[in-house]
Amino acid sequence: MMILINAFKSITRSKGRNILIGIIVVTVAASSSIALAIKSAASTAKETGLENQTITGSISVDRQKLMEGAQGDGDSGGQADMGSMRELMQQYPDLSLDELKTYSESDYVKEFYYTASASLNAAGDVEAYSTESSSTSSDDSGSEQNGMPDGMRGGMNGGMDSSGFGGMTMGDFSITGYSSESAMTKFISGESKISSGEMFDVESSDLNCLISNELAVFNGLSVGDTITLANPNAEDETYSFTIVGIYTNTSSADSSNQMRFSTAQDPANLICVSYNALKAVTDNSEAVATTSTDDNGSETTTALSMQTSGTYVFSDKTNYESFSKELTGKGLSEYYTLSSSDINNYDSSLVPLENLSSFATTLLFIILGVGAIILIVLNIFNIRERKYEVGVLTAIGIKKGKVAMQYITELLAVTFISVIIGTGIGAAASVPVSNNLLALQVSSQEAAQNSQQENFGRAGGGGQGGMQTRGSGGMFGNSTNAVEYLDTIDATISIEILGQLVGIGILLTILSSLAGVVFVLRYEPLKILANRT
Amino acid sequence: MSILSLQNVGFSYNKSTKVLQDINYEFEKGRVYAIVGRSGAGKTTLLSLLSGLTSPTEGAIIFDGKDVRKIDRYKYRSHYVGVVFQQFNLLPHLTAVENVELSMRASGKHIPEKRKLAMELLDKVELDDVLAKRRILKLSGGEQQRVAIARALSYNPDIILADEPTGNLDLATQEEIMDIFQHLAKEENKCIIIVSHSPEVANSVDEVYELAPLKEKRRKKPAMEDKVQPEN
Ligand SMILES: Nc1ncnc2c1ncn2[C@@H]1O[C@H](COP(=O)(O)OP(=O)(O)OP(=O)(O)O)[C@@H](O)[C@H]1O
Ligand SMILES: [Mg+2]
């Protein structure tokens, strides 16, 4: 009781000293609370960002692993040896649709859909849409594209997901066949909209199609017309599709200034059909194909090939992770990996936030360190100043322990009040401050991304998934899928943070009062009183 | 039986300077004592020993049959002795009455209505309400001295040690203070020990102890010797 009364009087009577301590603690508390809020917001975003959200994933060949595998085999020691790499790639091709379907029977998988893509040439009076002078696209289309140097194609494929054209011949158009309506993610997300006509029957194998508005306008086509397309390997093998609908792309995905090797890569030249329809086309093409053997002895066929990719839908991230484990359990080779663009995109969207969070952590330690040092020094001076008081209190018979307790109580009270005020300031400032800091991080991240893109012509994204596209893959593949960074966080101060701050306050108080306590306990009252002035 | 006695007490602050040697004094309840002696004779030092602020380097101080060295000296100071320091030793950031109350709380004794009692004590030493509620730094030397006296009385100790308690007071006030001391000794059976230069004080007490300074090593002119000690 006496301790409390003395402490209270002492605080109220010597404001100057306490205000100084208060200001320091308020500053420490305010900045610590912001730092803690940022940290906790970052971890919450990481943990809960994808909670209760459906996740799509696909199984693909892990090129990185293949490369490492090839490196391990090679005699050249370290250097990736192209021969063994090619060998491994042949040994581990993309999984077949049947295999993908088998895996999809897992309980963890909510839904499975797939798309197939192929490339066809213009035939008759249809021309591929192009923003460049029309001569390049129509006249020397098809065969010219095949003249693309191998190295260049390889480089391109490396940058993209499993969606490249491998050994495929490139035509003017890309055709994607969808297994179900959920496969048509662009139409679900609203990125593409049917502007006239209607959706084809996704189950049917009739040759019905959707074409883009650009293509329709470019060729003067409308719903009900037919377009005739040819196998780029065999120009007289043609297929006629009935246009049942025309769609527009809401996001024009800056298609104009993209470097393209083929008009097929222009989203405007994407023709959407049902999987069954495309399957019917390739089956037919297979049936009528001719094979030839060239000088090197390798076989080529005129059969139209298609690239299939399957997408698994999971009800949440846990199921995705369980499925991934199950795949390994079922004996899927280590060279295949389940990856999710949702998770990859989300992870890369968190990069600035994580940078900010680690910056906040460093800052927190600096603030606490500097704060502690200042407080310790301040307290040493205070106690020296209060020597006389210690002498008087002990001379009138108050035990040293109690005097020390009184000083700690004073400090605790000042610290506690300052922590509350500081936290209040922190609470008010943390949301705008952290969002501003995050915006800075995002823009510096974007700047880094842009310069990387300028220099290397592709998105870096830290090596992971910057270019991954959803299921339908291939044909959209080239449009740079810029990462959308998470740029707002809810950095509010929770009870937990408040608890941590109070803990910090107590720790600082005890640390900083240590010097004073040692002083109080060491001196005899007579010595203090005798040594004053 | 004496409540406080000094048995062959000697004291030195450090090896080279011995301040007190072979002192044998007896103090009884119900009596007022004066300790006189030249400046620097060691009067304040003696009071420090009696109040338990420090221990004698030779001999022993016996309080109520027990060696002060062996008892809880914090309790001894806060309960049994009240000290009026030569330099008052009041807390400057507190008011007069708060200083008095602080000693009451420090004693841990059950004292109801502390504020009222403190005001009464201050009134006894001629400090009115206004002065009682003023901070120590804004009081004159004499006023501070009276606060120190009130504080020493506040928790009703058995022994009161006063180091020149009337040094800053006019004769009339000095007499009043001496009356208070006499009253405490005679009516409340306290033991009062006063250090003083004043002949009036020495005349009004029951017994006087003269503290002779130890043989001075340095020869000084009388004028120099009268000079007040720099610090206690
Ligand atoms: N803390 C100390 N350390 C060393 N010497 C001291 C200390 N305090 C006092 N002395 C010395 O001890 C001697 C006695 O001092 P003390 O204060 O007891 O004198 P005093 O009789 O009270 O004098 P005065 O009448 O001037 O108050 C003096 O010579 C003084 O210089
Ligand atoms: Mg003295």
Side-chain angles (χ1 to χ4, degrees), chain B residues 39-45 86-87 163-164 195 197 229 231-232:
Chain B
S39 179
K43 305 182 294 298
T44 300
T45 307
Q86 194 169 13
Q87 308 291 331
D163 201 343
E164 310 214 23
V195 167
H197 289 294
Q229 286 297 313
E231 265 314 317
N232 286 59

Side-chain angles (χ1 to χ4, degrees), chain A residues 1-2 5-6 9-10 12-14 386 388-400 523-526 529-533, chain B residues 11 13 48 53-54 72-75 77-78 85 87-95 98 101-103 105-106 135 151 155 231-232:
Chain A
M1 189 58 194
M2 177 187 67
I5 293 171
N6 286 357
K9 291 235 170 81
S10 189
T12 49
R13 300 289 160 82
S14 36
R386 297 178 75 173
Y388 169 68
E389 198 184 323
V390 177
V392 171
L393 290 173
T394 48
I396 63 171
I398 298 174
K399 289 206 168 76
K400 287 186 212 163
Y523 281 86
E524 283 298 324
L526 188 64
L529 290 177
N531 289 341
R532 70 197 183 90
T533 67
Chain B
F11 184 83
Y13 283 102
S48 300
L53 278 175
T54 187
D72 178 354
R73 285 192 280 144
Y74 285 97
K75 182 157 193 208
R77 280 207 292 276
S78 62
F85 296 97
Q87 308 291 331
F88 320 133
N89 291 348
L90 298 164
L91 288 183
H93 64 271
L94 297 181
T95 62
E98 282 168 348
E101 285 175 318
L102 176 64
S103 273
R105 279 194 297 269
R135 296 237 186 137
R151 180 176 69 174
Y155 46 93
E231 265 314 317
N232 286 59

